[in-house]
Amino acid sequence: RGRRLFATAGRKDFRGFVFEELLELGLCPVEAWDRFAKANGTRPVDAYVGEQFESPDSPTDYWADHFSPHFSKTAAVGALPGVTAVFGSKRSYATFYRNCSAARRCPAAWLTSFNVDGDEDLWKTDPVAFRRKRLRRGQIDGFGEILNELRRERAAGRFPLVWIVKPQQNTYLSRGMHLAKLFAGDVETAGAFLKWVEGHYTDRTCKGRGYAEAAVRCNRRRVSFQRYVEDPALLRGRKFDVRLWVLVASVDPLKVFLLRHGYPKAASLAVRGP
């Protein structure tokens, strides 16, 4: 009685730093809502920090939904309706880029990005058919616009270009991600560009391998292609990033809280070029 309850998503950063911070704030964790509800009735959760509810990685428990009665009326919920579709995933970022590019409103520093749709289930159910099926132009978002944009890059002397290919689901630990290099001849014709995308939207080591043998890297066909950052900021010669969590409590006036513990990561090897 009187306890404030919280829940987090299962990803390691939420279960690590965020979980520990909420404990320090005096909140009590709800490890399994079903078991908790049986023992405590309908006591609602006061805080949730984790995946967006539209994300395939969000909690599967029935309480994980916007405006759920299992949240208290004053609950702090770290998920916003509609954010995943607009700017909360690899797929939505590429779509956002295409829309702002078409309107000629993208900042120059933004990286070119596009989506490739495919047959996620076909690989699992019929690997032979998967290998035989050809990629179609309609499966590449904004195919014509992307090709014209790349030809302008070629004319400006910026080729070859390096891309990072990212599966759109279950990409934790960078599973399935790989690099691909685009040469001038690959955008000479629409067919050449289509062939290049088809040759790189799964890891090249997947060629001819069975599903069971290469399940981790090769069973995804919905991917995002994004220009690789070739001149990143470095820490003692190594790539790095820092993940931070913020709470925007008010926009006008602006009031933002920053979690005091970040989640730093650094590469184990020094950069030697793409």
Side-chain angles (χ1 to χ4, degrees):
R1 178 174 297 180
R3 294 179 299 171
R4 299 177 63 195
L5 308 176
F6 77 88
T8 65
R11 207 172 67 191
K12 63 179 181 180
D13 47 350
F14 295 124
R15 296 294 297 169
F17 292 104
V18 174
F19 189 93
E20 293 173 359
E21 287 290 328
L22 292 174
L23 286 177
E24 286 192 27
L25 290 174
L27 277 70
C28 299
V30 176
E31 296 290 353
W33 177 261
D34 287 337
R35 291 198 300 270
F36 175 85
K38 289 179 181 179
N40 297 271
T42 58
R43 175 69 190 278
V45 173
D46 299 292
Y48 166 78
V49 181
E51 304 285 355
Q52 297 296 311
F53 293 149
E54 292 90 349
S55 167
D57 299 317
S58 68
T60 56
D61 303 89
Y62 66 91
W63 56 266
D65 188 31
H66 295 113
F67 312 113
S68 168
H70 300 288
F71 288 120
S72 67
K73 291 182 178 180
T74 58
V77 181
L80 299 175
V83 70
T84 298
V86 177
F87 202 68
S89 68
K90 298 177 180 66
R91 178 177 180 81
S92 60
Y93 172 80
T95 301
F96 191 90
Y97 175 84
R98 292 261 45 82
N99 290 339
C100 78
S101 178
R104 300 185 181 279
R105 300 187 66 178
C106 286
W110 280 26
L111 297 172
T112 305
S113 183
F114 63 91
N115 292 315
V116 180
D117 287 327
D119 305 292
E120 293 281 335
D121 296 330
L122 183 60
W123 173 264
K124 301 176 183 179
T125 58
D126 193 344
V128 175
F130 171 83
R131 287 193 291 270
R132 290 176 179 172
K133 188 163 184 176
R134 308 294 295 181
L135 188 69
R136 302 185 308 276
R137 289 178 55 166
Q139 292 175 269
I140 302 174
D141 290 350
F143 180 88
E145 293 85 352
I146 286 287
L147 182 57
N148 290 334
E149 184 175 329
L150 294 175
R151 286 171 173 170
R152 289 193 293 269
E153 292 281 307
R154 181 183 63 176
R158 300 191 180 102
F159 269 59
L161 301 177
V162 179
W163 299 74
I164 184 167
V165 185
K166 304 176 180 180
Q168 293 176 3
Q169 295 183 11
N170 301 320
T171 58
Y172 49 88
L173 302 179
S174 300
R175 299 194 307 177
M177 293 186 186
H178 56 280
L179 297 181
K181 184 172 284 189
L182 181 72
F183 294 93
D186 295 322
V187 296
E188 189 66 34
T189 66
F193 181 54
L194 184 64
K195 183 178 180 180
W196 178 82
V197 174
E198 186 176 48
H200 290 88
Y201 74 141
T202 55
D203 193 318
R204 297 182 70 85
T205 61
C206 298
K207 301 298 183 182
R209 305 183 73 182
Y211 169 70
E213 186 181 1
V216 170
R217 291 190 307 278
C218 310
N219 64 342
R220 302 177 185 89
R221 294 251 291 179
R222 293 192 180 98
V223 301
S224 295
F225 281 70
Q226 187 178 76
R227 282 279 301 277
Y228 185 75
V229 180
E230 299 187 48
D231 57 345
L234 300 176
L235 176 64
R236 297 183 179 179
R238 301 169 190 267
K239 293 178 67 176
F240 71 97
D241 68 74
V242 179
R243 178 171 292 173
L244 300 172
W245 290 269
V246 299
L247 170 65
V248 181
S250 172
V251 176
D252 187 15
L254 184 62
K255 190 174 184 180
V256 179
F257 294 90
L258 174 66
L259 191 66
R260 58 183 174 181
H261 291 165
Y263 185 26
K265 293 181 290 183
S268 57
L269 299 176
V271 171
R272 293 179 295 179

